[in-house]
DNA sequence: CTGAAAGCGCTAACAA
DNA sequence: TTGTTAGCGCTTTCAG
């Protein structure tokens, strides 16, 4: 006979509020959802009671009733070279902050290639980079879940993506070095499983070609973004018979390592080697020689990403039912970078 | 008359499965929840249909029905000196990975002192550090939500906490330096708004006292954990009339900056200055002189934290209703650190 | 402007 | 071992 669950629950429900305020639960619901057609007096009373009771509507009930969720999943590859970086942290921070602003719940998904992320109940997804987990994106899209990809430009899928113009940024860096008189320009590339690293490499090549310099594979060092591999790269670089006079490095963290190694080897920066990094990691400001670098608008990317996702989620919400997302306008942008000139390069 | 919402919904429900499998929804529910009392044959059939229909139960319905949530919120102060660190990333990674394992949904909450985090629907909370947001913890506790604090030892509240033995770690570092013959040992402290930094400072002092060295305020440099302030600190340190022969630095990232600055100033590490860091940040391995440091078990902390939270959440679940958490056994531990001896210290 | 009542999809007595 | 049924707390017609 004790099947009456009614009031053994700890949390107060909309019903409690209704009773106390002397209105129906419908009215309370209206107040919660800011539906204008409520008499001012009732509204005030309800709000008062809500405050008194410290009532918060159950998100589960709301979502069950509406079928809508404002949970946003952030899917980040648990991939070392990428995850342990200024980039990842800045992105998480940016997205976290923005979700706060938009009152979205941020679900963090660190993912493997193999992981089968369960997206039950997720209202939208932000994929930060795509490293072997494209199938996850496709699945989500197939499930009609609003998706935004950031830091990766997706050509061939109907999905919004906010990427950084890595190619252009790299090209600028090379142009700059060229304009200073450098001709033997090396590149320490990041892990080319990431699109960013691949694009920076591409931009480097384009930059050279546009200035009629031949691309020389000897001058290209591929790494996994780690400082360790950057170290090896510079060591080899300096040992070359015709050593480069400048190097464009795919990340600031590696660029800093390059500087450190150079100094250890008794070299002078920028006299013996000009360096341009990528990221605009604040660490580049310290040290005896501040780092010239390509600024990447990470926060901006996070912002644009969340805003775009918001848009898609609302669009879906507004639509009659399914399908609407298929015909949505997708946004595909390359955010511009900015060359930040500091002290690590010199004119020949 | 189109009020029959039944089949305009995109997602399939337990009912569809039931119909198709020729059983009741209860049976389906039993299968989902792995309740043993289902005939093998039916179970197989249901599982089959679930697969066919690609059915996933609605978390919202489940949670509404059970009143239980397996959403775990990770609350991290959006506090610069702390957030932008190896520590934060490693922790997020550890917790993210473990939540995956435990099938918990990880909600990320970057918080301010002022932010009023809404914990609606959250099944448990992990507070990473407590910086001015103690009230949030207290509110959560008052709301009977299982909480675990990591990287912060809470003395005076009934809550589990998994902290690192920063005091002991710092003391060991000092002992080690003492054993090498150092007597003038400086300390570059982190931001003492964090307990970790405060404890490391405390440990430093204790270490000195135990070795009968007087604590000299001149030798203590307070920073905000930034490399910039570390830089200033070393510069001042070397300018002192009786310059220290060794320094214990509150983070590896600052310790690396110390090394860099020292080299810039023409000093030799470890000849002119012995250095011990704190963290065991992999970056300490690079460079000409690898960094001796105090290893902090971050992943272990993340693991213990999630496990403990799981325990509390299950405990709550198991209990009749409310109240059970009040009488729970709370776990309060200091995880031990480990001195990792590498090359940055020398015997006098 | 308001309220009654029918769901949303699932779980958990209880009865069979 | 299975099915019936009453909720979970909220939204949303629809009829006042």
């Amino acid at each position: 006979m004790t099947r009456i669950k009614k009031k053994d629950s700890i949390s107060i429900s909309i019903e409690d509020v209704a009773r106390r305020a002397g209105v129906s639960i419908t009215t309370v619901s209206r107040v919660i959802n800011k539906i204008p057609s409520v008499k001012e007096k009732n509204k005030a009373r309800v709000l008062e009671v809500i405050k008194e009771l410290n009532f918060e509507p159950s998100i589960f009930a709301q979502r069950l009733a509406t079928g809508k969720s404002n949970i946003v999943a952030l899917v980040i590859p648990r991939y070392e070279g990428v995850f342990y970086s200024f980039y990842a942290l800045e992105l998480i921070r940016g997205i976290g902050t923005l979700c706060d602003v938009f009152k979205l719940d941020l679900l963090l998904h660190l993912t493997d290639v193999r992981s089968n992320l369960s997206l039950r109940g997720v209202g939208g997804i932000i994929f930060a980079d795509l490293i072997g987990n494209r199938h996850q994106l496709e699945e989500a899209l197939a499930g009609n879940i609003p998706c935004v990809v950031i830091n990766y430009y997706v050509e061939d899928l109907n999905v919004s993506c906010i990427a950084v113009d890595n190619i252009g940024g790299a090209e600028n860096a090379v142009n700059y070095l060229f304009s200073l008189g450098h001709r033997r320009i090396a590149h320490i590339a990041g892990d080319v499983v990431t699109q960013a690293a691949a694009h920076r490499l591409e931009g480097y090549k384009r930059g050279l070609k546009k200035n009629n310099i031949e691309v020389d594979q000897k001058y290209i060092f591929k790494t996994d973004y780690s400082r360790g591999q950057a170290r090896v790269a510079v060591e080899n670089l300096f040992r070359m018979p015709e050593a480069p006079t400048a190097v464009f490095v795919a990340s600031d963290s590696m660029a800093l390592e390059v500087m450190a190694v150079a100094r250890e080897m008794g070299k002078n920066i920028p006299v013996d080697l000009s360096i341009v990094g990528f990221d605009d990691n604040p660490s580049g400001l310290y040290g005896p020689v501040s780092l010239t670098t390509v600024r990447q608008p990470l926060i901006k990317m996070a912002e644009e990403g969340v805003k775009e996702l918001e848009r898609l989620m609302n669009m879906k919400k507004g639509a009659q039912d399914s399908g609407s997302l298929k015909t949505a306008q997708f946004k595909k942008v390359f955010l511009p970078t900015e060359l930040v000139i500091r002290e690590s390069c010199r004119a020949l």
Side-chain angles (χ1 to χ4, degrees), chain A:
Chain A
M1 285 300 102
T2 20
R3 219 163 88 248
I4 295 88
K5 277 241 183 116
K6 261 305 138 65
K7 281 286 49 170
D8 64 347
S9 121
I10 321 158
S11 56
I12 53 274
S13 77
I14 199 176
E15 203 186 324
D16 304 312
V17 177
R19 193 171 323 119
R20 182 111 172 222
V23 295
S24 73
I25 58 170
T26 313
T27 298
V28 176
S29 175
R30 289 198 177 97
V31 172
I32 293 172
N33 294 292
K34 303 196 202 310
I35 288 171
S37 73
V38 181
K39 214 195 293 172
E40 195 50 54
K41 191 176 169 182
N42 279 335
K43 182 163 148 188
R45 175 68 187 134
V46 168
L47 252 17
E48 195 184 308
V49 174
I50 286 182
K51 190 132 289 173
E52 270 176 41
L53 265 40
N54 199 8
F55 165 76
E56 292 202 340
S58 151
I59 48 173
F60 301 127
Q62 285 181 316
R63 285 165 193 177
L64 180 55
T66 59
K68 289 151 200 162
S69 150
N70 67 337
I71 295 183
V72 167
L74 172 59
V75 179
I76 300 192
R78 195 207 318 276
Y79 186 77
E80 307 231 343
V82 175
F83 190 83
Y84 284 109
S85 61
F86 172 68
Y87 149 77
L89 211 43
E90 190 75 356
L91 220 54
I92 292 179
R93 196 171 129 112
I95 292 177
T97 304
L98 231 75
C99 281
D100 234 44
V101 173
F102 280 107
K103 305 276 177 221
L104 298 170
D105 284 339
L106 213 211
L107 216 53
L108 191 64
H109 256 294
L110 305 185
T111 180
D112 270 348
V113 180
R114 325 162 295 113
S115 32
N116 230 25
L117 66 170
S118 156
L119 270 5
R120 313 186 319 164
V122 162
I125 311 179
I126 296 181
F127 287 87
D129 233 312
L130 240 36
I131 305 183
N133 59 329
R134 201 190 150 98
H135 59 285
Q136 297 176 341
L137 170 61
E138 287 170 358
E139 269 167 33
L141 253 20
N144 206 36
I145 302 178
C147 292
V148 171
V149 180
I150 62 179
N151 206 37
Y152 192 101
Y153 196 91
V154 187
E155 304 261 13
D156 55 341
L157 244 34
N158 272 332
V159 64
S160 290
C161 50
I162 319 287
V164 167
D165 181 15
N166 287 297
I167 297 187
E171 220 176 311
N172 283 348
V174 172
N175 278 337
Y176 171 65
L177 289 169
F178 182 86
S179 75
L180 291 180
H182 294 278
R183 295 301 175 263
R184 293 200 304 282
I185 302 172
H187 177 44
I188 298 183
D191 196 330
V192 290
V193 301
T194 69
Q195 189 185 56
H199 278 188
R200 286 169 202 173
L201 174 57
E202 172 62 20
Y204 159 79
K205 289 179 182 169
R206 287 200 199 170
L208 290 183
K209 282 178 196 151
K210 288 210 179 147
N211 289 300
N212 297 312
I213 301 182
E214 213 179 313
V215 174
D216 188 339
Q217 292 298 332
K218 288 200 309 293
Y219 286 173
I220 298 178
F221 301 86
K222 296 200 176 164
T223 73
D224 59 359
Y225 270 124
S226 75
R227 296 179 83 121
Q229 295 201 2
R231 166 165 295 266
V232 174
V234 215
E235 287 168 354
N236 289 331
L237 181 151
F238 277 120
R239 280 200 207 96
M240 301 180 78
E242 280 210 310
T245 59
V247 60
F248 164 54
V249 189
S251 80
D252 278 0
S253 119
M254 287 199 295
L256 290 173
E257 187 69 13
V258 168
M259 285 177 130
V261 175
R263 268 195 293 276
E264 287 163 28
M265 295 174 78
K267 308 288 182 180
N268 181 319
I269 304 287
V271 176
D272 299 317
L273 186 69
S274 286
I275 304 179
V276 180
F278 209 111
D279 272 353
D280 194 25
N281 183 327
S283 300
L285 289 167
Y286 307 122
V289 177
S290 61
L291 183 64
T292 290
T293 189
V294 181
R295 175 176 300 152
Q296 207 180 173
L298 293 178
I299 295 294
K300 169 99 174 161
M301 186 158 70
E303 272 179 18
E304 297 276 309
V306 176
K307 279 186 195 156
E308 172 64 5
L309 188 60
E310 252 270 315
R311 191 182 71 85
L312 293 172
M313 286 168 70
N314 283 329
M315 174 163 295
K316 184 178 179 186
K317 188 153 44 184
Q320 342 310 0
D321 252 280
S322 62
S324 74
L325 239 39
K326 309 288 179 192
T327 61
Q329 295 285 344
F330 293 103
K331 183 173 184 176
K332 287 181 187 282
V333 298
F334 278 120
L335 261 24
T337 62
E338 182 191 349
L339 184 66
V340 182
I341 297 178
R342 291 201 278 252
E343 306 166 346
S344 60
C345 299
R346 71 140 183 168
L348 282 192

